[in-house]
Amino acid sequence: MVCLKATMKKRPFPEIWFEEHRFFMSTELPLSEQEAIRRQSLEQIRAAGIDPYPADLYPVNAAAKDILAQFTDESAGIWTEICLAGRLMSKRIQGKASFAVLMQDGVRIQLYVNRDEICPGENKEGYNQLFKKWLDIGDIIGVKGYVFRTMVGEITLHVQELTLLSKCLRPLPIVKTDAEGNVYDAFSDPELRHRMRYVDLIVNPEIRATFIARSRIVSAMRSFFDAKGWLEVETPILQSVHGGAAARPFKSHHQALDVPLFLRIANELYLKRLLVGGLDGVYEIGKMFRNEGMDKTHNPEFTSMEIYVAYKDYEWMMNMVEECLAYISVSVFGSTQAEYGAHRINFQGPYARIPLFDAIMQQTGVDVSGMNEQELREQCRQWNISTSPEMGKGKLIDQIFGEKVEKSLIQPTYITDYPIEMTPLAKKHRSKEGLVERFELFICGKEVANAYSELNDPIDQRQRFEEQLALANRGDADAMALDEDFLKSMEFAMPPASGLGIGIDRLVMMMTNQTSIQEVLFFPQMRPEGGK
RNA sequence: GAAUCCUUAGCUCAGUUGGCAGAGCACAACACUUUUAAUGUUGGGGUCCUGGGUUCGAACCCCAGAGGAUUCACCA
């Protein structure tokens, strides 16, 4: 709201903007009975002179996780003056004493609240009103007290002081688990979980593990690269020419310049400019945006790690990737092995290295390496693989590979040496005619990484772009655009180099046993709620 | 983009042949000072996704639309 006002001062929004956004600006939302009751409690709390959203810091001095791990009956004496804060997840009132569950940073700990201990004087309002009536499940509270073990043996905080830190105005879905581990009323609808990830994280705290792993995987990758002396950089997300990959972009517009801008589909051409500039090892971890469909392995925005190292080739890069993934796997999970569905994935190198045409031959018994476009098209028809007229030789081979080989590559496998037609940014193969020095890494039947010996011959590069233009004119919407400034930079001489891109979301999926990209993104793309 | 299935209380879900809208949890009231899916008694809570149609009467049947799930297609 503040932000909106500030913007409006400068430049009023056109009428149509308000028309389109009136739903979001409405302040009059109908309240359910339970929401109304919580607002009433809020007013009563205020009327009692209690600030439901206090400003001062709350002196938390312990973690529920540590208490549960370290408390022993012998050491009970030292567990006093403990101060915890978190969300109230359940309340079981039994007259003048009660049990509750506090969730602090994803860990549940039981509280014991006794009327005469939190209200030592004559006035019992703090227990009878605030705790019993006005506090709801979902409220964030602070508690001070000592740790003990209940008669049934549960480690519990005996509360001596209770502070409301933030009132929750909406009912929280309550997921219950019984002694046998059966879950009741699970908050499991994927749409609701993804739209309201904050609620998902509260009531399904086990999903934190995947996101924590994701953070650690990226962090481990960063330390691996940093230790090699390579520099993390940032390059433009808004680009006037969307180069570096074959994909449809999102289009935007710059008002002041009155020019179209694209959200980047790749950052490759900018990282190569940095190689020209003399930065010999650069990498960037960031979002790419592709205007394509969504499914279990595709989100319109995704995170990619791109790295370029001067004076190396793609064989060196294969060794580096093996080393890197094994390092990440060990430092995050303590093992080079990972479960993925029924498979056990081994990230320890060396990985199998199979030339593309050999891989197709192994799976089909057919050698397609010598075929021209017409023969490839005929072969596709025999295998019942769909083709379209604008597909060139490269794309047809890619189609065959995707149909016949990709799914079978479960263990980390490099497919190497691709036809030149489908790879306009890679260097021609040093010994194999018509191929380029490229590899892709496949794990669990999905592409996870893509790398080249980078093309650094500016004349050759210009020709390759022109071939792409020809494809674009045939109707291939994904063909690459020609970037004049990039070509100019290359004419200043780019060192020979190898470059690599890793799909971080997919790598995280492989390492955390998730079959849907939505489960490794906090906020996957969803259709607008309530239709267009 | 296609097929199939789904959308009912805050959450998870029933709903008979087309005949007054249901349960558990949650919520409210009362009781209860070591419980743990706390318990007992009582009570409140609904745009049955939206819009049309058929019918005396629609959560239910028909048509259109929206959203979701799964599979396929597209897409590195």
Side-chain angles (χ1 to χ4, degrees):
Chain A
M1 232 25 212
V2 175
C3 172
L4 178 63
K5 275 181 191 160
T7 320
M8 281 172 67
K9 258 189 197 168
K10 280 186 180 168
R11 190 187 178 97
F13 284 87
E15 212 58 43
I16 185 139
W17 192 91
F18 289 104
E19 189 53 35
E20 283 173 356
H21 291 75
R22 68 185 190 284
F23 174 78
F24 301 102
M25 300 176 76
S26 164
T27 52
E28 301 247 344
L29 295 166
L31 293 180
S32 71
E33 183 197 32
Q34 294 193 39
E35 288 170 320
I37 288 165
R38 283 174 182 239
R39 276 162 208 250
Q40 279 165 26
S41 300
L42 179 75
E43 289 317 307
Q44 287 173 305
I45 288 165
R46 284 213 166 97
I50 299 165
D51 182 352
Y53 300 102
D56 44 329
L57 73 80
Y58 191 77
V60 173
N61 64 11
K65 175 170 59 100
D66 297 336
I67 294 172
L68 297 179
Q70 294 164 19
F71 177 86
T72 59
D73 297 313
E74 294 71 42
S75 70
I78 64 164
W79 296 94
T80 59
E81 305 284 308
I82 298 293
C83 187
L84 294 177
R87 195 178 292 271
L88 190 62
M89 297 302 286
S90 89
K91 209 166 66 161
R92 299 187 293 276
I93 294 169
Q94 289 162 63
K96 299 177 185 65
S98 301
F99 289 91
V101 171
L102 184 80
M103 189 163 75
Q104 183 194 45
D105 205 18
V107 178
R108 290 163 169 267
I109 186 166
Q110 180 168 265
L111 307 178
Y112 175 71
V113 182
N114 184 303
R115 185 192 70 179
D116 296 326
E117 297 206 42
I118 64 164
C119 304
E122 284 301 302
N123 182 353
K124 306 296 183 189
E125 290 283 286
Y127 182 78
N128 289 336
Q129 295 299 323
L130 179 66
F131 179 76
K132 278 173 71 176
K133 309 248 167 130
W134 299 336
L135 279 194
D136 292 299
I137 289 170
D139 289 356
I140 292 173
I141 60 170
V143 284
K144 282 181 202 165
Y146 61 89
V147 183
F148 76 114
R149 195 184 291 276
T150 62
M151 282 170 66
V152 244
E154 180 156 354
I155 296 168
T156 300
L157 186 80
H158 192 122
V159 177
Q160 295 165 305
E161 209 181 301
L162 187 149
T163 312
L164 174 60
L165 298 176
S166 184
K167 182 79 192 133
C168 174
L169 294 181
R170 286 176 183 259
L172 204 59
I174 306 223
V175 181
K176 294 196 172 185
T177 309
D178 69 14
E180 282 84 52
N182 301 313
V183 176
Y184 300 85
D185 300 337
F187 183 68
S188 57
D189 180 341
E191 182 185 10
L192 287 174
R193 286 184 47 233
H194 298 147
R195 283 195 199 280
M196 296 198 286
R197 185 67 91 181
Y198 38 90
V199 172
D200 192 25
L201 286 161
I202 294 165
V203 306
N204 298 320
E206 66 281 0
I207 69 164
R208 292 162 59 107
T210 301
F211 293 102
I212 291 168
R214 178 182 180 124
S215 177
R216 291 186 180 152
I217 287 167
V218 173
S219 178
M221 188 178 280
R222 217 174 237 126
S223 30
F224 180 87
F225 293 153
D226 290 347
K228 303 271 186 193
W230 300 324
L231 186 71
E232 181 168 14
V233 298
E234 293 179 80
T235 63
I237 289 173
L238 288 172
Q239 304 179 347
S240 50
V241 180
H242 55 281
R248 233 162 284 191
F250 286 93
K251 192 174 180 180
S252 187
H253 185 261
H254 191 283
Q255 299 290 356
L257 297 176
D258 191 23
V259 292
L261 286 176
F262 301 94
L263 272 65
R264 67 180 176 194
I265 56 174
N267 52 358
E268 173 159 357
L269 305 189
Y270 283 94
L271 291 170
K272 285 180 175 172
R273 285 170 171 92
L274 296 180
L275 288 179
V276 172
L279 299 169
D280 283 352
V282 287
Y283 73 96
E284 177 170 15
I285 297 171
K287 289 282 183 76
M288 305 297 155
F289 307 85
R290 297 188 182 176
N291 208 339
E292 293 159 355
M294 295 138 61
D295 61 27
K296 277 186 170 170
T297 53
H298 295 82
N299 196 63
E301 60 179 281
F302 62 97
T303 301
S304 127
M305 190 297 303
E306 293 270 331
I307 183 164
Y308 291 81
V309 185
Y311 313 116
K312 307 297 184 190
D313 65 6
Y314 79 139
E315 288 180 359
W316 173 89
M317 187 63 89
M318 284 189 254
N319 297 334
M320 193 279 272
V321 170
E322 288 167 357
E323 191 191 337
C324 180
L325 295 190
Y327 170 83
I328 291 170
S329 189
V330 168
S331 63
V332 177
F333 303 99
S335 163
T336 55
Q337 311 263 318
E339 299 288 339
Y340 191 79
H343 303 295
R344 189 162 187 82
I345 307 300
N346 187 359
F347 286 101
Q348 180 64 54
Y351 305 157
R353 300 181 183 190
I354 311 172
L356 175 65
F357 289 125
D358 294 5
I360 294 175
M361 178 117 87
Q362 281 172 23
Q363 289 294 320
T364 65
V366 178
D367 183 6
V368 299
S369 63
M371 293 186 182
N372 62 28
E373 190 178 320
Q374 199 46 52
E375 291 163 333
L376 285 166
R377 209 173 284 282
E378 176 55 32
Q379 189 61 65
C380 283
R381 189 159 39 242
Q382 276 182 31
W383 282 331
N384 229 351
I385 296 169
S386 68
T387 62
S388 54
E390 74 273 9
M391 285 181 180
K393 190 174 156 187
K395 206 143 186 179
L396 290 168
I397 291 166
D398 192 35
Q399 201 78 355
I400 291 170
F401 174 79
E403 201 67 32
K404 293 287 177 188
V405 184
E406 192 172 1
K407 288 183 180 65
S408 68
L409 303 174
I410 302 301
Q411 290 301 321
T413 303
Y414 294 122
I415 298 296
T416 66
D417 301 343
Y418 284 68
I420 192 165
E421 294 84 356
M422 54 200 286
T423 317
L425 298 167
K427 192 173 270 196
K428 281 175 182 154
H429 199 283
R430 61 194 76 181
S431 61
K432 297 178 185 171
E433 186 66 26
L435 301 182
V436 290
E437 299 205 347
R438 171 188 188 182
F439 72 83
E440 290 188 307
L441 173 62
F442 291 85
I443 307 174
C444 305
K446 280 288 167 188
E447 181 201 342
V448 172
N450 182 22
Y452 314 142
S453 296
E454 299 294 341
L455 177 56
N456 64 341
D457 174 344
I459 313 263
D460 188 0
Q461 182 67 79
R462 181 174 292 277
Q463 282 170 6
R464 304 275 198 95
F465 275 139
E466 279 163 0
E467 283 156 18
Q468 287 292 304
L469 276 179
L471 281 176
N473 290 337
R474 274 174 72 173
D476 184 346
D478 294 340
M480 281 190 207
L482 191 146
D483 185 334
E484 278 296 343
D485 182 73
F486 170 66
L487 287 170
K488 186 202 281 181
S489 75
M490 196 171 278
E491 287 166 13
F492 282 95
M494 182 180 105
S498 184
L500 162 82
I502 294 181
I504 295 293
D505 311 283
R506 288 189 187 173
L507 180 66
V508 172
M509 288 169 64
M510 304 311 157
M511 288 187 162
T512 59
N513 197 12
Q514 294 295 334
T515 54
S516 166
I517 199 169
Q518 295 187 312
E519 297 300 336
V520 302
L521 298 168
F522 275 126
F523 303 104
Q525 187 63 45
M526 310 285 281
R527 269 171 225 266
E529 213 167 353
K532 284 172 237 174

